[in-house]
Structures are given as C-alpha cells and as structure tokens.
Amino acid sequence: MADYAQLKDVLQYIQQEWEFMTDDDCIPVQVALQLMDSSSLGRAHQFDQFQQTHKQLQRALRAIVNEHHQGFNSSIGTFHKIQSSIQNSQNRVRALKDSLVHAKSSLSTTNPELKGLAHSSQNYDEMLQLLGYIEQLQLVPEKLEARISEKRFLSAIDVLHEALRIIRRSELEDIGALTELRVYLSNQETSLTDILIEELHNHLYLKSPYCQDRWKSVAQDQPNVLGSDGSKASPVIATEKPIYLFLEKLNTVFPMTDDASRNPEADTFYYIQLLVESLSKMGRLDIAVDSIEQRLPVELFRVVDKTNDEVDRRHPTTMRRELHHARRKVAEDFDHNEVQSKIVYDLLSTLYSKFEAIAEGHRVLHDVIQGILKREGVRNAGSLTGGFKELWKLYQSEMRSLLHDYLATDADVARRSSPGQTNGVGGFQRNQRDKFKKVFKFSDLDNKSAELASEQEDLDFILKSSVPGLVSNSRRSATMVTNNRSNHYDGSATGHKLLIEPSVFNMGLLLPPSLSFIQRLKGIVPPGSDIVISTLTAFLDDFLVNVFHPQLDETLADLSAQTFIELDAFQEDPKWTAVARKPIFKGTSAFFSVIAMFCKMLDTIPQDQAFSQLIITHMETYHEKCFGWYKSLVIRAQSQSQGVMLKAAAAFAESGELHDTMMKLLTAENGERQNLLNKVFPSKQFAIALELTHSRKLVF
C-alpha cells in the first residue's frame, strides 16, 4: 500500500509541475533542450527537480514490479497464447474463404442429378401432404356421425367445413378415389341442414319427449273454472316462468360454443338457441326461416289434431254417445253437464297449453335470430324475424275455426230436428245430404300390403344411401297423422273430430279459456314484432259481433219457434210445479229453459248490450205468438159490421164484474182459491153469466 501511496504522490506532483509533459502534443526533445538552457527562458534550474522526480517514479515502479512480478510473468505467457490463437483463427478463416470460393464455383456449375433429386423431394413432400389429407378425410364420416349423435352440432359443422375445405383443394380434384367421399360430404351439408331444421321443428312444436314437461306444467297452472264473480284463479307469476329466466340470461354478443358436459336437449330453449346458432354458422338461417314459415300451418294443424285424438282417447266415445241419446228436450239438448264441460276443458286447456309453449319457443327463436343479426351487423332483416306475427295469424285462424266447429250451424239445426216432425211435404221430403262428409280419401290405403311395404323399403334405402342421417321419424309420423286424421274425421270444417255436439251455447265453455290464453300470450309477444298488444282480442270481438251474434239470433229464433209450433205447445205442462207457481203451457216451460240457458251462457262471455237485446226481442216475439194464439182462439170466424167479434166466454171475461171475479180467482193462493171455488163463486158466477146472457144476443 505504501508503494501505491508513493506512486500516487509522484503522479500528483507530476500533475502539478510537469503537467505539460502528459499532453499528447508534448515533444520530449524540446523539453530536454529547455532543461539544458540556463537562460531565463530555459528550465536548467529545474533539472535537479526533474531528475529527482524521475528517480522517485522509477523507485515507485520498481517497487510495484517487485511486488507483482509473478502476475506480469503470467500475463506475458497468456499474451503469447492469445496471439497464437489469433493467428490460428486467421489461418482457418483463410481456409474457409478458399472453401467458399470453391463451393461457389461448384454450385455455379449445372448438375442434372441434383436437379432431379430436388424435384423428386418436392413431389414426395406433396404426396405425403396429400396422404395426410386423405387420412384426415377418411376419419370425417365417423367424427361427423359421432358429433351429430351427441347433438354437438357446432363441432360437427366445424368438422364438415374443414373437410369440405380440404376436399375442394385443387390438388385433390383429380383423385378419383375421393369422388364418393366428395359426394358424401356435399350431401352431408344438405343433410345436416335438414337435420337441424327437423330438430328445430321437433322442439318448436313439442314433438320431442323433452318438451312434454314444458306444456304440461303450463296446463297445470291454468285455472279450472271461473269463480262465481267471473274472476279467474291467480296465474303463475310471469317472472317465474322458465322462458323469462332464459331470456334474461340470453347473450348473443359472442358466438355459441358446444358444451360437452351437458345434454343440450334437456333445456329446450338452450337447444333452440344451439340449433339457430348452428344454422347461422352454416349460412342456412334464411333457409330455416323459410322452412318454418312454410311448415307452420301444417305443424299447427298436426298439433291440434294430435291434441284432439289425445282428448278423445281420454274420454270414451260410448259415454258421449249415451249422453247424446239421453237428450230429449230442448233444454237438455243445450245443458252443459259435467261430462261435456270436462271434455271441453280438457281439450282447451291441453291445446292452449301447447299453443303457449309453442309461442314461447317462437319467442326464443325470434330473440336469438335478432341477436345473431345484430351481432353480424345485418340490417333490414325483417323477413327473418317476422315469424311470430305469422304464428299469431294462424293462432287466430285455429281459434276461429275451433269456435266455428263447436257452434251450431244450419246443418246442425237440421240434424237436431226430430224425424217425427212433418211439414208441408211430410214423409216424402228427401233428406239433406251432409255436405261435410268425405266421399273418398286418397289416404285410405292398406298399409299392410306387401307391395306398399316393398315400395316403402326401397324409398327408405334410397334416402339413407343418398343422404345418410337424414331419414328421421318425421315422414313416418306424418303418415301416421294423416291416417289417423282420415279415420277420425267427423264433420268439422277444419277436419278435426268433434268431441261434443256443436251448439251456440258451447260458447260459454269455449270463450273463457280462449280469453285466458290470449291474456297469457300478451307476456310472450316479442317487442318490435308489429303486433299491437291491445288488439289481441280484436278478432274475438269481431267474431262475437259478426258471426256469433247472428248465429245465436238464428238459433234462438229456431228454438223459440219450436216452443210454439209443437202440437202440444199450448197444453198444460204436467210438470209445471217444478218451474212455476201457476199452471203454464209446455211451450212456455220450454221457452223458459231456452232463456235460462241463454242467460247462463251470457254470464261466461263479455257483456254486450246486443246479447241482452236478443232476450228482450225473443221474449216480445213469444208474447206476440201467445197473444196471436189467444186471439185466434177467442175471435169469431165470421166478422160483422160492428167489427171484430169475440166469442161469448171471451167477451164475458174481457171486462166487467166477471173479469174482476176471474182475476181474484187467479191471484188467490191455493187454499183461498179452493174456498172461493166451493162457496162464493159458483152462485155468483152463475148469476153474472145469466144476467149477461139475457142482456146480450149470443151468436155462436
């Protein structure tokens, strides 16, 4: 450390006194001449100091060298090794340069063999790539069928699109062995689209077993009957319904992906979304929407027909037939007994529950399509989101047809007429042909015939071979529905079997469930569907005014006419005590039953002054008929110059004391009437009659 300190002092002294010698432009000879110059300009007087400084520097360096001489010796050897390595590297670089020059000259020389090897290597690479593509394509059918069977349609579409992209490459077009696979994949694209559309219809129209609980839960939540005040039972809270929970969580911002951990069909709304997303991914969404719109009337007809058959099986026909034969009187003919009410309620609750479930499926379909179009930036796509409006139009048509079928028609009135009744023609009148009865049906085929079975097997084989995976139960179910429908046709304008006898008084059973269904439907109508919620019941109002009211008026007129055209209409009803305090006519009893049944029916439909006016009108008509019968009974056949002449008994009882006496007898109670008849009236009535006889000329 002392050596370093000494060296440091020397260097510091040099910096102070001899700093100019440390510069790069210092000339040693010039400094030496200055040290030898003894003039005033020279540095001879500093020569001793210079020598002393030189000696101190030498001593300091010598001390450092003595202390570190071993390290210096080692560094000298290392320097030689480094120098030797550098020389070797230079020699190798020169050799490598010579090699590169030689290689350059060799490569610049044309070699046919190398060129052929390069082409062969490239061909082999392409062949290996093609073989890889072929092996990948060979696995596609198995993968595709597995994905479809597992309902993983999004993955199946990815597999199909990747296979189509590969097989449509230009280098694979000339490979003849891939022709069948190319046809298969092309057919599978159409087949998968048809499968998706068919699956979508299965869940939209409740064909899948997974949809049964959905509409059955809706049917259980419906109120059974109306209360005494016309109020309905409390419906299920809308927010608790599965459709609202699904729509609340619906997110179409990002494309949907397959979830292999769940069964997609277990949640029918999720499955509908999956199918729509799959169709959108295939670019076939417009085809699916067109198919739904075209098949909508047929599918709804099948739903109604199937529901009709289900209700028909639950209520034996023999029970209804016995009920029909048991009806004899006019009032009984229109009385809604318990069996008839159960049948209608079962039909409407089941049918409207299915309609509501179908509407929920179409609401999900509408919202999912709208979300996909918004995500993809598609504008002016009203043709893809207008399906719910078409559904509502068909619902109106089906409900209107249902009301038409179960209300009385002219043909029904004719059939209800008793065979024993005669008119001007009597027994020689021809029976009217039933215009609704089918003479023949193309669907009446023998399904068990060997020829038909052979043709069916050939057709199924062609479909399975040309479009694998497409053949489903839709065709077979359609055939079964057609056959069942042909077997159950029963006079209905729409082709559905009538479960109860048509009558205008069935409106009391038909209208309340219809209104309840429309109220529930208001919560399902999607916003922006061009359907005004407040006008959903407008078609029913129009039906009541333009169809039901005239039909009811006509029916009431026919029933009222029957109450006074019967031969015994103005004879005393033997059972008058059950309906009145005084003896009444049979026709009056029947007319009262008709009016009572009419009022009972009015309690179940919306109030309208026009219906109340019908009661007044027909009561006035009946009064006029009764008054006319009375006039024809008491007026003389021959008229005289004095005017209309009454028969003697009518003239005596029309006014005066005899009239007052008869009114007392009429208004008296049972016991008082008997006393009047036994004690007072015989002698008094005889005296009055004798006095009138003497005072007036009797003409018979």
Side-chain angles (χ1 to χ4, degrees), residues 165-184:
R165 185 187 64 81
I166 293 174
I167 206 169
R168 289 170 180 171
R169 296 175 67 94
S170 58
E171 56 267 27
L172 297 178
E173 291 181 355
D174 298 331
I175 301 179
L178 297 177
T179 302
E180 294 184 1
L181 186 58
R182 186 177 293 105
V183 174
Y184 169 81

Side-chain angles (χ1 to χ4, degrees), residues 436-438 441 485-492 495-496:
F436 296 106
K437 185 177 181 180
K438 289 185 176 181
K441 311 179 187 70
R485 187 167 64 249
S486 64
N487 294 333
H488 295 297
Y489 183 83
D490 186 20
S492 168
H496 305 301

Side-chain angles (χ1 to χ4, degrees), residues 612-681:
S612 302
Q613 186 63 36
L614 280 180
I615 300 178
I616 299 175
T617 300
H618 287 287
M619 291 180 68
E620 292 176 348
T621 302
Y622 184 74
H623 172 266
E624 293 175 358
K625 294 295 182 181
C626 291
F627 187 71
W629 174 81
Y630 171 75
K631 287 296 185 182
S632 65
L633 184 66
V634 301
I635 293 178
R636 298 181 182 280
Q638 299 178 355
S639 60
Q640 299 181 1
S641 59
Q642 292 83 356
V644 178
M645 297 294 294
L646 299 178
K647 293 182 180 180
F652 295 158
E654 188 174 25
S655 61
E657 189 176 358
L658 183 60
H659 173 268
D660 297 337
T661 303
M662 297 302 298
M663 289 301 300
K664 290 181 180 180
L665 181 63
L666 182 64
T667 57
E669 298 294 336
N670 293 335
E672 186 181 357
R673 182 187 302 111
Q674 190 64 34
N675 293 332
L676 291 174
L677 290 174
N678 294 335
K679 299 179 179 180
V680 181
F681 284 128

Side-chain angles (χ1 to χ4, degrees), residues 300-323:
L300 282 183
F301 182 89
R302 291 176 179 174
V303 169
V304 177
D305 202 62
K306 182 179 179 181
T307 304
N308 216 52
D309 293 341
E310 292 173 355
V311 176
D312 187 35
R313 288 193 295 268
R314 288 196 292 267
H315 301 277
T317 308
T318 55
M319 182 186 304
R320 298 199 302 274
R321 186 180 298 114
E322 293 175 358
L323 176 65

Side-chain angles (χ1 to χ4, degrees), residues 213-222 353 356-357 360 520:
D213 294 337
R214 187 155 61 89
W215 72 263
K216 288 181 179 179
S217 62
V218 175
Q220 294 173 358
D221 294 334
Q222 294 184 21
S353 299
E356 184 176 355
E360 291 177 352
R520 297 195 306 272

Side-chain angles (χ1 to χ4, degrees), residues 43-308:
R43 291 180 178 270
H45 63 280
Q46 294 180 343
F47 181 74
D48 294 337
Q49 294 178 1
F50 179 79
Q51 286 184 336
Q52 186 66 27
T53 302
H54 180 265
K55 290 178 181 180
Q56 290 177 359
L57 183 61
Q58 289 295 327
R59 282 195 300 267
L61 290 175
R62 191 179 295 110
I64 292 174
V65 170
N66 291 334
E67 185 178 356
H68 299 283
H69 68 280
Q70 293 181 354
F72 291 152
N73 291 335
S74 299
S75 63
I76 293 172
T78 303
F79 172 74
H80 289 299
K81 290 181 181 179
I82 292 174
Q83 187 178 14
S84 177
S85 298
I86 292 174
Q87 291 176 355
N88 293 334
S89 297
Q90 289 176 348
N91 295 331
R92 286 197 297 272
V93 169
R94 293 189 187 97
L96 182 59
K97 182 178 180 181
D98 295 337
S99 299
L100 289 174
V101 172
H102 179 70
K104 182 179 179 181
S105 61
S106 299
L107 291 174
S108 61
T109 305
T110 304
N111 191 342
E113 296 180 359
L114 293 177
K115 186 176 181 180
L117 292 175
H119 286 295
S120 299
S121 177
Q122 185 177 2
N123 292 334
Y124 289 148
D125 291 339
E126 293 177 355
M127 291 175 63
L128 291 175
Q129 188 176 10
L130 292 179
L131 290 175
Y133 287 152
I134 293 174
E135 290 179 358
Q136 185 177 353
L137 291 173
Q138 288 177 343
L139 299 176
V140 167
E142 183 178 356
K143 289 182 180 179
L144 193 59
E145 293 178 4
R147 299 292 190 279
I148 295 176
S149 62
E150 295 171 1
K151 308 296 183 180
R152 296 169 57 187
F153 295 114
L154 293 174
S155 300
I157 293 172
D158 291 335
V159 172
L160 180 60
H161 283 179
E162 179 65 18
L164 289 173
R165 185 187 64 81
I166 293 174
I167 206 169
R168 289 170 180 171
R169 296 175 67 94
S170 58
E171 56 267 27
L172 297 178
E173 291 181 355
D174 298 331
I175 301 179
L178 297 177
T179 302
E180 294 184 1
L181 186 58
R182 186 177 293 105
V183 174
Y184 169 81
L185 293 177
S186 299
N187 291 338
Q188 278 298 314
E189 191 173 17
T190 304
S191 173
L192 185 55
T193 302
D194 293 339
I195 291 174
L196 291 173
I197 294 176
E198 192 64 33
E199 287 291 321
L200 186 58
H201 279 82
N202 289 341
H203 279 259
L204 282 178
Y205 303 107
L206 314 175
K207 301 177 185 179
S208 172
Y210 294 96
C211 300
Q212 300 302 314
D213 294 337
R214 187 155 61 89
W215 72 263
K216 288 181 179 179
S217 62
V218 175
Q220 294 173 358
D221 294 334
Q222 294 184 21
N224 192 345
V225 293
L226 296 175
S228 58
D229 57 350
S231 61
K232 299 181 179 64
S234 300
V236 178
I237 300 176
T239 55
E240 296 179 356
K241 301 182 71 173
I243 181 175
Y244 294 103
L245 298 177
F246 175 82
L247 293 177
E248 184 179 356
K249 298 178 181 179
L250 179 63
N251 183 9
T252 57
V253 177
F254 303 100
M256 194 176 184
T257 57
D258 279 330
D259 187 0
S261 62
R262 63 184 296 182
N263 179 12
E265 276 197 284
D267 185 352
T268 183
F269 297 143
Y270 172 85
Y271 193 59
I272 290 175
Q273 182 185 5
L274 174 65
L275 295 172
V276 176
E277 288 278 3
S278 301
L279 289 166
S280 176
K281 192 172 186 178
M282 293 188 68
R284 303 297 179 91
L285 190 57
D286 54 342
I287 298 177
V289 172
D290 291 340
S291 177
I292 292 173
E293 184 177 353
Q294 293 173 5
R295 293 175 56 175
L296 183 58
V298 179
E299 294 292 347
L300 282 183
F301 182 89
R302 291 176 179 174
V303 169
V304 177
D305 202 62
K306 182 179 179 181
T307 304
N308 216 52

